[in-house]
Amino acid sequence: QVQLVESGGGLVQTGGSLRLSCAASGSTFGFNAMGWYRQAPGKQRELVATMRNTGMSNYADSVKGRFTISRNNAKNTVDLQMNSLKPEDTAVYYCNLDIFGRAYWGKGTLVTVSS
């Protein structure tokens, strides 16, 4: 059983910063990628940033240069440092773990950016 627990969401003003953290537990051996997605009200869930087990990262164009994903293999955590936040970054952010093509999701953490 795999569990993902997110933390770090909250309310921030435009231009501010937040750091999200996701802790994975359970049978995570052999995972392919770990990362973050988000879903804004009335919109589909979209990729924010992911990091493969090779260390290669991938970012949505809308967050490049502002967000940074990092992983701690020893602690089985993945963090998302979000800087220069914009109102359009407001969404529920979900941690994602891909193990041999099977996706696991956390319950999400709300990020609200006020203008």
Side-chain angles (χ1 to χ4, degrees):
Q1 190 75 5
V2 174
Q3 283 191 322
L4 303 174
V5 179
E6 303 103 334
S7 61
L11 173 64
V12 66
Q13 291 186 333
T14 296
S17 298
L18 281 175
R19 187 176 184 90
L20 305 183
S21 185
C22 173
S25 61
S27 302
T28 62
F29 178 78
F31 78 94
N32 300 105
M34 196 168 180
W36 294 90
Y37 288 68
R38 67 185 180 188
Q39 187 166 17
K43 295 188 177 181
Q44 289 188 331
R45 192 172 296 188
E46 62 177 3
L47 178 147
V48 177
T50 60
M51 181 174 282
R52 299 197 64 80
N53 55 6
T54 58
M56 289 189 63
S57 58
N58 180 44
Y59 295 89
D61 288 342
S62 58
V63 306
K64 283 180 181 176
R66 300 188 298 123
F67 292 10
T68 303
I69 190 170
S70 60
R71 196 175 73 215
N72 186 319
N73 291 331
K75 295 183 178 180
N76 247 0
T77 59
V78 63
D79 290 353
L80 185 69
Q81 177 66 42
M82 304 186 295
N83 299 326
S84 302
L85 283 161
K86 305 175 181 179
E88 51 263 43
D89 295 318
T90 294
V92 177
Y93 284 70
Y94 296 92
C95 182
N96 168 269
L97 181 64
D98 179 309
I99 303 177
F100 298 116
R102 179 173 179 175
Y104 295 86
W105 297 94
K107 293 183 178 180
T109 184
L110 177 63
V111 172
T112 303
V113 184
S114 63
S115 57

PDB file of all heavy atoms in Angstrom, residues 44-65:
ATOM      1  N   GLN A  44      -9.168  21.073 -15.629  1.00  0.00           N
ATOM      2  CA  GLN A  44      -8.635  19.721 -15.502  1.00  0.00           C
ATOM      3  C   GLN A  44      -7.327  19.739 -14.711  1.00  0.00           C
ATOM      4  O   GLN A  44      -6.625  20.747 -14.654  1.00  0.00           O
ATOM      5  CB  GLN A  44      -8.390  19.128 -16.893  1.00  0.00           C
ATOM      6  CG  GLN A  44      -9.658  18.790 -17.663  1.00  0.00           C
ATOM      7  CD  GLN A  44      -9.367  18.032 -18.943  1.00  0.00           C
ATOM      8  OE1 GLN A  44      -8.316  18.193 -19.543  1.00  0.00           O
ATOM      9  NE2 GLN A  44     -10.300  17.195 -19.354  1.00  0.00           N
ATOM     10  N   ARG A  45      -7.024  18.602 -14.134  1.00  0.00           N
ATOM     11  CA  ARG A  45      -5.765  18.459 -13.434  1.00  0.00           C
ATOM     12  C   ARG A  45      -4.621  18.541 -14.452  1.00  0.00           C
ATOM     13  O   ARG A  45      -4.696  17.964 -15.538  1.00  0.00           O
ATOM     14  CB  ARG A  45      -5.714  17.120 -12.695  1.00  0.00           C
ATOM     15  CG  ARG A  45      -4.580  16.997 -11.710  1.00  0.00           C
ATOM     16  CD  ARG A  45      -4.701  15.724 -10.886  1.00  0.00           C
ATOM     17  NE  ARG A  45      -5.900  15.740 -10.051  1.00  0.00           N
ATOM     18  CZ  ARG A  45      -6.153  14.809  -9.118  1.00  0.00           C
ATOM     19  NH1 ARG A  45      -5.282  13.839  -8.901  1.00  0.00           N
ATOM     20  NH2 ARG A  45      -7.266  14.885  -8.421  1.00  0.00           N
ATOM     21  N   GLU A  46      -3.570  19.261 -14.083  1.00  0.00           N
ATOM     22  CA  GLU A  46      -2.456  19.450 -15.012  1.00  0.00           C
ATOM     23  C   GLU A  46      -1.122  19.213 -14.309  1.00  0.00           C
ATOM     24  O   GLU A  46      -0.994  19.416 -13.095  1.00  0.00           O
ATOM     25  CB  GLU A  46      -2.471  20.874 -15.596  1.00  0.00           C
ATOM     26  CG  GLU A  46      -2.298  21.976 -14.575  1.00  0.00           C
ATOM     27  CD  GLU A  46      -2.235  23.362 -15.200  1.00  0.00           C
ATOM     28  OE1 GLU A  46      -2.390  23.495 -16.431  1.00  0.00           O
ATOM     29  OE2 GLU A  46      -2.016  24.334 -14.444  1.00  0.00           O
ATOM     30  N   LEU A  47      -0.149  18.832 -15.101  1.00  0.00           N
ATOM     31  CA  LEU A  47       1.186  18.620 -14.568  1.00  0.00           C
ATOM     32  C   LEU A  47       1.813  19.960 -14.180  1.00  0.00           C
ATOM     33  O   LEU A  47       1.689  20.944 -14.902  1.00  0.00           O
ATOM     34  CB  LEU A  47       2.045  17.925 -15.622  1.00  0.00           C
ATOM     35  CG  LEU A  47       3.501  17.641 -15.273  1.00  0.00           C
ATOM     36  CD1 LEU A  47       3.952  16.356 -15.937  1.00  0.00           C
ATOM     37  CD2 LEU A  47       4.414  18.776 -15.700  1.00  0.00           C
ATOM     38  N   VAL A  48       2.481  19.964 -13.034  1.00  0.00           N
ATOM     39  CA  VAL A  48       3.249  21.131 -12.614  1.00  0.00           C
ATOM     40  C   VAL A  48       4.739  20.831 -12.782  1.00  0.00           C
ATOM     41  O   VAL A  48       5.453  21.529 -13.490  1.00  0.00           O
ATOM     42  CB  VAL A  48       2.955  21.496 -11.149  1.00  0.00           C
ATOM     43  CG1 VAL A  48       3.816  22.673 -10.718  1.00  0.00           C
ATOM     44  CG2 VAL A  48       1.475  21.829 -10.961  1.00  0.00           C
ATOM     45  N   ALA A  49       5.193  19.780 -12.129  1.00  0.00           N
ATOM     46  CA  ALA A  49       6.599  19.393 -12.215  1.00  0.00           C
ATOM     47  C   ALA A  49       6.746  17.951 -11.784  1.00  0.00           C
ATOM     48  O   ALA A  49       6.065  17.506 -10.854  1.00  0.00           O
ATOM     49  CB  ALA A  49       7.469  20.285 -11.338  1.00  0.00           C
ATOM     50  N   THR A  50       7.618  17.234 -12.453  1.00  0.00           N
ATOM     51  CA  THR A  50       7.909  15.866 -12.061  1.00  0.00           C
ATOM     52  C   THR A  50       9.404  15.624 -12.123  1.00  0.00           C
ATOM     53  O   THR A  50      10.128  16.323 -12.836  1.00  0.00           O
ATOM     54  CB  THR A  50       7.209  14.834 -12.957  1.00  0.00           C
ATOM     55  OG1 THR A  50       7.661  15.019 -14.301  1.00  0.00           O
ATOM     56  CG2 THR A  50       5.707  14.952 -12.902  1.00  0.00           C
ATOM     57  N   MET A  51       9.839  14.632 -11.371  1.00  0.00           N
ATOM     58  CA  MET A  51      11.235  14.236 -11.400  1.00  0.00           C
ATOM     59  C   MET A  51      11.301  12.720 -11.531  1.00  0.00           C
ATOM     60  O   MET A  51      10.699  11.996 -10.729  1.00  0.00           O
ATOM     61  CB  MET A  51      11.958  14.695 -10.134  1.00  0.00           C
ATOM     62  CG  MET A  51      13.424  14.321 -10.119  1.00  0.00           C
ATOM     63  SD  MET A  51      14.308  15.015  -8.696  1.00  0.00           S
ATOM     64  CE  MET A  51      14.541  16.701  -9.243  1.00  0.00           C
ATOM     65  N   ARG A  52      12.007  12.250 -12.540  1.00  0.00           N
ATOM     66  CA  ARG A  52      12.139  10.818 -12.758  1.00  0.00           C
ATOM     67  C   ARG A  52      13.188  10.248 -11.809  1.00  0.00           C
ATOM     68  O   ARG A  52      13.966  10.988 -11.195  1.00  0.00           O
ATOM     69  CB  ARG A  52      12.511  10.542 -14.204  1.00  0.00           C
ATOM     70  CG  ARG A  52      11.482  11.037 -15.208  1.00  0.00           C
ATOM     71  CD  ARG A  52      11.679  10.406 -16.565  1.00  0.00           C
ATOM     72  NE  ARG A  52      11.475   8.968 -16.523  1.00  0.00           N
ATOM     73  CZ  ARG A  52      10.277   8.391 -16.543  1.00  0.00           C
ATOM     74  NH1 ARG A  52       9.187   9.114 -16.597  1.00  0.00           N
ATOM     75  NH2 ARG A  52      10.183   7.080 -16.518  1.00  0.00           N
ATOM     76  N   ASN A  53      13.222   8.924 -11.714  1.00  0.00           N
ATOM     77  CA  ASN A  53      14.197   8.310 -10.813  1.00  0.00           C
ATOM     78  C   ASN A  53      15.626   8.524 -11.293  1.00  0.00           C
ATOM     79  O   ASN A  53      16.578   8.308 -10.554  1.00  0.00           O
ATOM     80  CB  ASN A  53      13.907   6.822 -10.634  1.00  0.00           C
ATOM     81  CG  ASN A  53      13.844   6.079 -11.952  1.00  0.00           C
ATOM     82  OD1 ASN A  53      14.125   6.649 -12.994  1.00  0.00           O
ATOM     83  ND2 ASN A  53      13.457   4.817 -11.892  1.00  0.00           N
ATOM     84  N   THR A  54      15.771   8.984 -12.543  1.00  0.00           N
ATOM     85  CA  THR A  54      17.105   9.317 -13.057  1.00  0.00           C
ATOM     86  C   THR A  54      17.574  10.683 -12.574  1.00  0.00           C
ATOM     87  O   THR A  54      18.738  11.048 -12.755  1.00  0.00           O
ATOM     88  CB  THR A  54      17.094   9.334 -14.592  1.00  0.00           C
ATOM     89  OG1 THR A  54      16.117  10.299 -15.021  1.00  0.00           O
ATOM     90  CG2 THR A  54      16.735   7.965 -15.148  1.00  0.00           C
ATOM     91  N   GLY A  55      16.647  11.443 -12.013  1.00  0.00           N
ATOM     92  CA  GLY A  55      16.972  12.793 -11.570  1.00  0.00           C
ATOM     93  C   GLY A  55      16.544  13.874 -12.548  1.00  0.00           C
ATOM     94  O   GLY A  55      16.597  15.062 -12.229  1.00  0.00           O
ATOM     95  N   MET A  56      16.116  13.468 -13.738  1.00  0.00           N
ATOM     96  CA  MET A  56      15.670  14.444 -14.726  1.00  0.00           C
ATOM     97  C   MET A  56      14.312  14.998 -14.319  1.00  0.00           C
ATOM     98  O   MET A  56      13.415  14.257 -13.902  1.00  0.00           O
ATOM     99  CB  MET A  56      15.584  13.799 -16.101  1.00  0.00           C
ATOM    100  CG  MET A  56      16.935  13.469 -16.716  1.00  0.00           C
ATOM    101  SD  MET A  56      16.794  12.964 -18.438  1.00  0.00           S
ATOM    102  CE  MET A  56      16.134  14.450 -19.158  1.00  0.00           C
ATOM    103  N   SER A  57      14.178  16.320 -14.445  1.00  0.00           N
ATOM    104  CA  SER A  57      12.934  16.973 -14.070  1.00  0.00           C
ATOM    105  C   SER A  57      12.245  17.561 -15.289  1.00  0.00           C
ATOM    106  O   SER A  57      12.872  17.825 -16.321  1.00  0.00           O
ATOM    107  CB  SER A  57      13.209  18.068 -13.034  1.00  0.00           C
ATOM    108  OG  SER A  57      14.121  19.011 -13.540  1.00  0.00           O
ATOM    109  N   ASN A  58      10.941  17.751 -15.129  1.00  0.00           N
ATOM    110  CA  ASN A  58      10.120  18.293 -16.204  1.00  0.00           C
ATOM    111  C   ASN A  58       9.140  19.285 -15.591  1.00  0.00           C
ATOM    112  O   ASN A  58       8.533  18.990 -14.558  1.00  0.00           O
ATOM    113  CB  ASN A  58       9.365  17.147 -16.895  1.00  0.00           C
ATOM    114  CG  ASN A  58       8.490  17.628 -18.020  1.00  0.00           C
ATOM    115  OD1 ASN A  58       8.907  18.466 -18.817  1.00  0.00           O
ATOM    116  ND2 ASN A  58       7.283  17.101 -18.112  1.00  0.00           N
ATOM    117  N   TYR A  59       9.000  20.444 -16.219  1.00  0.00           N
ATOM    118  CA  TYR A  59       8.135  21.495 -15.694  1.00  0.00           C
ATOM    119  C   TYR A  59       7.114  21.935 -16.730  1.00  0.00           C
ATOM    120  O   TYR A  59       7.387  21.951 -17.921  1.00  0.00           O
ATOM    121  CB  TYR A  59       8.956  22.728 -15.293  1.00  0.00           C
ATOM    122  CG  TYR A  59       9.908  22.516 -14.148  1.00  0.00           C
ATOM    123  CD1 TYR A  59      11.204  22.085 -14.358  1.00  0.00           C
ATOM    124  CD2 TYR A  59       9.500  22.769 -12.839  1.00  0.00           C
ATOM    125  CE1 TYR A  59      12.082  21.895 -13.297  1.00  0.00           C
ATOM    126  CE2 TYR A  59      10.374  22.590 -11.775  1.00  0.00           C
ATOM    127  CZ  TYR A  59      11.664  22.152 -12.017  1.00  0.00           C
ATOM    128  OH  TYR A  59      12.527  21.974 -10.960  1.00  0.00           O
ATOM    129  N   ALA A  60       5.954  22.340 -16.248  1.00  0.00           N
ATOM    130  CA  ALA A  60       5.002  23.013 -17.112  1.00  0.00           C
ATOM    131  C   ALA A  60       5.588  24.359 -17.514  1.00  0.00           C
ATOM    132  O   ALA A  60       6.292  25.007 -16.724  1.00  0.00           O
ATOM    133  CB  ALA A  60       3.683  23.212 -16.380  1.00  0.00           C
ATOM    134  N   ASP A  61       5.294  24.788 -18.740  1.00  0.00           N
ATOM    135  CA  ASP A  61       5.836  26.063 -19.214  1.00  0.00           C
ATOM    136  C   ASP A  61       5.441  27.215 -18.301  1.00  0.00           C
ATOM    137  O   ASP A  61       6.210  28.151 -18.099  1.00  0.00           O
ATOM    138  CB  ASP A  61       5.347  26.339 -20.638  1.00  0.00           C
ATOM    139  CG  ASP A  61       6.005  25.439 -21.672  1.00  0.00           C
ATOM    140  OD1 ASP A  61       7.063  24.850 -21.367  1.00  0.00           O
ATOM    141  OD2 ASP A  61       5.461  25.324 -22.785  1.00  0.00           O
ATOM    142  N   SER A  62       4.250  27.120 -17.729  1.00  0.00           N
ATOM    143  CA  SER A  62       3.728  28.224 -16.929  1.00  0.00           C
ATOM    144  C   SER A  62       4.476  28.420 -15.607  1.00  0.00           C
ATOM    145  O   SER A  62       4.333  29.468 -14.980  1.00  0.00           O
ATOM    146  CB  SER A  62       2.245  27.997 -16.629  1.00  0.00           C
ATOM    147  OG  SER A  62       2.067  26.773 -15.943  1.00  0.00           O
ATOM    148  N   VAL A  63       5.263  27.423 -15.196  1.00  0.00           N
ATOM    149  CA  VAL A  63       5.962  27.547 -13.909  1.00  0.00           C
ATOM    150  C   VAL A  63       7.476  27.554 -14.057  1.00  0.00           C
ATOM    151  O   VAL A  63       8.191  27.735 -13.063  1.00  0.00           O
ATOM    152  CB  VAL A  63       5.541  26.422 -12.932  1.00  0.00           C
ATOM    153  CG1 VAL A  63       4.030  26.384 -12.781  1.00  0.00           C
ATOM    154  CG2 VAL A  63       6.084  25.073 -13.374  1.00  0.00           C
ATOM    155  N   LYS A  64       7.957  27.366 -15.265  1.00  0.00           N
ATOM    156  CA  LYS A  64       9.407  27.342 -15.475  1.00  0.00           C
ATOM    157  C   LYS A  64      10.050  28.638 -15.004  1.00  0.00           C
ATOM    158  O   LYS A  64       9.551  29.721 -15.296  1.00  0.00           O
ATOM    159  CB  LYS A  64       9.727  27.108 -16.955  1.00  0.00           C
ATOM    160  CG  LYS A  64       9.566  25.674 -17.400  1.00  0.00           C
ATOM    161  CD  LYS A  64       9.900  25.520 -18.881  1.00  0.00           C
ATOM    162  CE  LYS A  64       9.714  24.081 -19.327  1.00  0.00           C
ATOM    163  NZ  LYS A  64       9.944  23.911 -20.790  1.00  0.00           N
ATOM    164  N   GLY A  65      11.146  28.515 -14.285  1.00  0.00           N
ATOM    165  CA  GLY A  65      11.836  29.682 -13.766  1.00  0.00           C
ATOM    166  C   GLY A  65      11.292  30.182 -12.445  1.00  0.00           C
ATOM    167  O   GLY A  65      11.915  31.030 -11.800  1.00  0.00           O
TER     168      GLY A  65
END
